[in-house]
Amino acid sequence: MKCTICNQKAALHLEHHNLALCSDHFPEWMCKQTERTIQKYSMFRRDEKLLLAVSGGKDSLSLWDILWKLGYHADGIYLDLGIDQGTRYSCTSGEMAQAFAAQRGLNLTVLDIRAKYGESIPEMGARTKRGHQKPCSQCGLVKRYLLNKAALDGGYDAILTAHNLDDEAAFLFSNLTHWSMQYLGRQHPLLPATTGFARKAKPFCLLYERETTAYAYLNNIAYVYSECPYATGSKQLRNKTYLNRLEDEQIGFKYQFYTGYLRALEAGAFPAGQETPEVLEQYRCTNCGQPTLSDGLCTFCRLVKKN
Ligand code: FES
Ligand code: ZN
Ligand code: ZN
């Protein structure tokens, strides 16, 4: 197959766009698509200070590379979750993130959760009923809290994450199967800043995982290949498998599924959820001052204070 633009050998066939691109034109296309998504949802500007959550994986490192090439000012933050038992997952991903930042002269903050809060994510999970075997929900809570705190403390205009279309379609599938109205009301690629919460944006939300993987590969980006060991057998991975089957049968399925949902969301089909500014004005965590939904400690402080 030939590149649609230059007729050289194509490196990737983007069937849902009816496009084949060579190893020169595909990375260019990725930069253009990312810029288009940033503009489409008015995510952020070049004069703003951005904080990117960097995991050491293909998505976050590819996004950092593209933002850098597009002239955006994004610092990185790597949360060392302490998931190392038998896998060195956190160690390896941290090394990848640091090597990437050093090669390009980019700023990366490393936050070691065990050093700062006395316990790794698996240790925090082990103290809870549900996190005993898989600490994923505690991990999600800690990541959301610490990213937000780092953005607010560091005076950043927005937090960026590198969730891709496959991630978003799988979240959406899960939210729809449970009719989680609270989440369905907020799965937008841009969440504006609100009381105590920084703006959040997902510039890769319309790009397939195979595209971000190909970008990392064609740009010689060294990234951690393995998934978090706790992801094995997770609902999110199962949902991805189901959606891959649908995509195989119907090219562009995930894109239609997610963009159709975004149109419905923008048309007001799903309410905004309970975390409205009015509700968040009511209570502040008695330890950290973060807005919460009830009196006392916020969920993060309850977790790390071992209550
Ligand atoms: Fe958090 Fe796996 S438990 S990344
Ligand atoms: Zn070409
Ligand atoms: Zn708190």
Side-chain angles (χ1 to χ4, degrees):
M1 186 165 294
K2 297 272 171 64
C3 172
T4 315
I5 299 173
C6 70
N7 237 9
Q8 301 291 313
K9 187 172 177 287
L12 214 73
H13 183 200
L14 308 167
E15 282 179 280
H16 58 293
H17 289 290
N18 199 16
L19 203 61
L21 294 171
C22 68
S23 54
D24 290 332
H25 286 116
F26 173 70
E28 264 179 33
W29 179 86
M30 284 286 288
C31 290
K32 277 193 200 140
Q33 292 297 107
T34 308
E35 178 70 34
R36 192 173 291 172
T37 305
I38 294 167
Q39 299 306 329
K40 180 177 166 93
Y41 297 107
S42 304
M43 288 180 166
F44 44 81
R45 302 184 310 262
R46 283 181 175 74
D47 61 352
E48 289 187 309
K49 201 177 151 195
L50 311 169
L51 183 64
L52 172 67
V54 176
S55 69
K58 62 191 182 324
D59 300 304
S60 56
L61 295 183
S62 294
L63 178 55
W64 209 3
D65 192 65
I66 289 177
L67 292 170
W68 176 62
K69 285 178 181 158
L70 290 172
Y72 289 100
H73 299 288
D75 290 341
I77 179 163
Y78 173 76
L79 300 180
D80 187 335
L81 309 168
I83 301 178
D84 283 325
Q85 297 85 335
T87 63
R88 292 193 82 250
Y89 171 71
S90 288
C91 265
T92 314
S93 48
E95 285 160 12
M96 296 290 186
Q98 293 187 51
F100 179 93
Q103 277 163 11
R104 290 160 180 78
L106 295 166
N107 288 330
L108 178 72
T109 301
V110 176
L111 179 55
D112 182 333
I113 289 172
R114 188 189 276 123
K116 177 106 177 136
Y117 297 98
E119 283 179 320
S120 66
I121 293 291
E123 286 162 348
M124 284 182 196
R127 284 190 287 103
T128 67
K129 243 191 247 160
R130 284 178 57 217
H132 197 67
Q133 287 177 325
K134 278 186 187 285
C136 303
S137 63
Q138 289 75 25
C139 181
L141 163 71
V142 168
K143 286 198 271 200
R144 278 193 301 278
Y145 180 92
L146 292 178
L147 288 177
N148 187 60
K149 181 170 164 39
L152 296 179
D153 292 353
Y156 287 95
D157 294 295
I159 303 171
L160 318 184
T161 58
H163 292 102
N164 58 42
L165 179 60
D166 297 53
D167 298 324
E168 292 305 305
F171 284 134
L172 177 60
F173 186 74
S174 171
N175 291 336
L176 279 172
T177 48
H178 294 95
W179 287 104
S180 312
M181 294 305 279
Q182 192 192 339
Y183 295 117
L184 287 168
R186 353 179 341 106
Q187 209 197 316
H188 195 270
L190 173 72
L191 290 179
T194 177
T195 318
F197 294 95
R199 186 192 328 158
K200 295 189 187 73
K202 299 175 182 174
F204 266 1
C205 65
L206 300 180
L207 290 167
Y208 279 83
E209 190 168 311
R210 67 185 282 264
E211 294 161 358
T212 62
T213 308
Y215 181 87
Y217 175 75
L218 291 172
N219 286 278
N220 295 317
I221 294 173
Y223 63 89
V224 63
Y225 290 99
S226 51
E227 292 266 3
C228 165
Y230 296 109
T232 314
S234 70
K235 221 187 296 165
Q236 175 80 348
L237 277 190
R238 273 207 308 276
N239 287 342
K240 282 189 171 181
T241 310
Y242 302 144
L243 291 167
N244 284 343
R245 277 191 221 150
L246 290 168
E247 181 77 30
D248 285 346
E249 285 172 21
Q250 195 183 322
I251 301 302
F253 176 84
K254 289 181 207 178
Y255 188 86
Q256 302 294 343
F257 179 53
Y258 180 59
T259 54
Y261 155 75
L262 288 181
R263 283 194 296 277
L265 178 64
E266 284 163 4
F270 301 100
Q274 59 175 155
E275 292 178 19
T276 59
E278 297 72 36
V279 171
L280 291 169
E281 289 295 351
Q282 282 180 41
Y283 302 109
R284 293 272 168 175
C285 170
T286 47
N287 183 54
C288 72
Q290 177 73 16
T292 66
L293 294 177
S294 58
D295 211 1
L297 295 174
C298 69
T299 44
F300 174 83
C301 289
R302 272 207 303 271
L303 177 66
V304 298
K305 283 188 163 289
K306 308 180 185 177
N307 286 339

